[in-house]
Amino acid sequence: MGSFTKWLFAGLGWAVGGPIGALLGYFIGKAISSGSEPIGAQSWTDTSAGHRGPYRNTGTQADINAALMVLIASVMKADGQVKRSELDYVKRFLLANYGEERGKEMLKVLQQLVQQDIAIDQVCMQIKVNTDYNTRYHMVDFLYGIGGADGEFHQAELNMLRLIAQYLGISQSDFTSINERHVGQGQSDYNYSGYSGESGRTRTAFRKDPYKVLGIDSQASDDEVKKAYRRMAMKYHPDRVADMSEELQRNAAEQMKEINEAYDVIKTARGLK
């Protein structure tokens, strides 16, 4: 496992215990036996050290990485099989974001995880009591990219994503926004073909419901539209994701582009300034 274990498991706090720790137990054990001191000064059996109360980020980025890997495995195996397209997507993602050595080792971990039974309710509860809402929101947003890795969302994957969001305490309006941006099944009452955005260039048809992208319905007032946009923009502001992993930051930047586009669509349709 070498340097990878030092990177993935170094500084692990709350993730070494509970259901996540049990699922990653083999790899944590390998890290310990290799003498890489994977969890710093904290005992690997003590999951309460350093906690600052519920609904806060009580651990390190290593905890988030470990939790994400378990959630990724849950989405990948949701439809009863791990497709080659999904595995290839995840592999490309890991290699691009973590480099050759780390990416391949992470893939090994995922290949083991998808073979295990994952109690998603217990995993999500462990994450929920150790992270803040903003972190959990962005984790769900990121997982949707994994779910659509093969170019389509299967019902079993959508059910799993909905379940994860529910267990992580994501609000209905936020879930609606995430789902619409990634899946785009909403039907709009307006025809947004050929609208001109703030950049002045004519764009192609907006194929998603821009109101659902903002987490509201089409009957919302102009003030409600503006408030919804500001609320969404705050979630993806660089300062709000600065302490998150690089993959979550990249996803946040991409999603913000879509939120801006949805807002442009509504402003054009309503004649808002």
Side-chain angles (χ1 to χ4, degrees):
M1 302 284 285
S3 61
F4 168 72
T5 54
K6 297 180 182 180
W7 169 76
L8 179 61
F9 298 119
L12 273 181
W14 55 264
V16 295
I20 295 177
L23 290 165
L24 293 170
Y26 169 77
F27 297 97
I28 293 174
K30 288 285 287 185
I32 293 173
S33 64
S34 70
S36 58
E37 300 180 1
I39 47 180
Q42 178 180 325
S43 167
W44 76 285
T45 58
D46 180 6
T47 60
S48 63
H51 285 196
R52 299 188 295 274
Y55 305 102
R56 297 177 181 273
N57 288 312
T58 61
T60 66
Q61 186 55 55
D63 292 297
I64 303 301
N65 288 336
L68 266 178
M69 291 176 68
V70 173
L71 293 178
I72 289 171
S74 299
V75 174
M76 288 178 67
K77 62 181 294 185
D79 57 359
Q81 57 181 323
V82 179
K83 298 181 182 65
R84 187 71 213 180
S85 58
E86 293 174 329
L87 199 59
D88 287 345
Y89 174 91
V90 174
K91 181 179 180 179
R92 288 194 299 270
F93 168 80
L94 294 176
L95 293 179
N97 286 275
Y98 297 104
E100 187 78 12
E101 180 183 2
R102 292 176 177 178
K104 287 182 177 179
E105 292 295 345
M106 286 187 78
L107 194 62
K108 291 179 183 178
V109 176
L110 283 172
Q111 288 172 331
Q112 291 293 321
L113 284 173
V114 295
Q115 297 176 33
Q116 301 183 52
D117 293 328
I118 299 175
I120 195 61
D121 57 337
Q122 297 176 29
V123 167
C124 288
M125 181 57 66
Q126 185 179 7
I127 296 170
K128 185 177 179 182
V129 299
N130 288 287
T131 60
D132 63 17
Y133 184 86
N134 192 52
T135 298
R136 301 196 303 276
Y137 173 90
H138 283 283
M139 290 175 78
V140 173
D141 198 350
F142 169 74
L143 288 171
Y144 261 82
I146 301 297
D150 56 352
E152 60 180 325
F153 285 92
H154 300 275
Q155 191 58 52
E157 293 170 334
L158 290 173
N159 291 343
M160 175 58 68
L161 288 163
R162 181 179 294 275
L163 201 59
I164 290 173
Q166 178 183 334
Y167 285 140
L168 290 181
I170 304 305
S171 72
Q172 183 59 51
S173 61
D174 282 342
F175 177 77
T176 296
S177 175
I178 293 172
N179 187 76
E180 184 65 19
R181 275 180 275 122
H182 290 276
V183 184
Q185 293 181 331
Q187 298 297 317
S188 174
D189 296 330
Y190 300 92
N191 179 6
Y192 296 111
S193 300
Y195 76 93
S196 180
E198 289 184 343
S199 63
R201 66 184 179 86
T202 300
R203 305 183 185 182
T204 57
F206 193 73
R207 301 182 183 280
K208 301 173 185 179
D209 188 319
Y211 291 98
K212 288 186 176 180
V213 168
L214 296 186
I216 55 178
D217 61 50
S218 59
Q219 302 305 311
S221 67
D222 290 350
D223 283 343
E224 289 171 333
V225 168
K226 294 176 181 179
K227 288 179 181 178
Y229 171 74
R230 288 195 294 268
R231 182 176 66 85
M232 296 302 299
M234 281 295 294
K235 290 181 182 295
Y236 292 95
H237 191 280
D239 289 345
R240 296 293 299 275
V241 297
D243 60 344
M244 297 183 187
S245 57
E246 291 184 6
E247 64 269 22
L248 293 185
Q249 291 184 45
R250 290 190 186 95
N251 180 70
E254 288 299 315
Q255 296 309 311
M256 191 64 228
K257 292 177 183 177
E258 190 137 346
I259 290 166
N260 283 331
E261 189 170 5
Y263 188 47
D264 275 356
V265 167
I266 296 173
K267 286 198 300 181
T268 299
R270 292 191 175 204
L272 297 177
K273 298 297 184 181

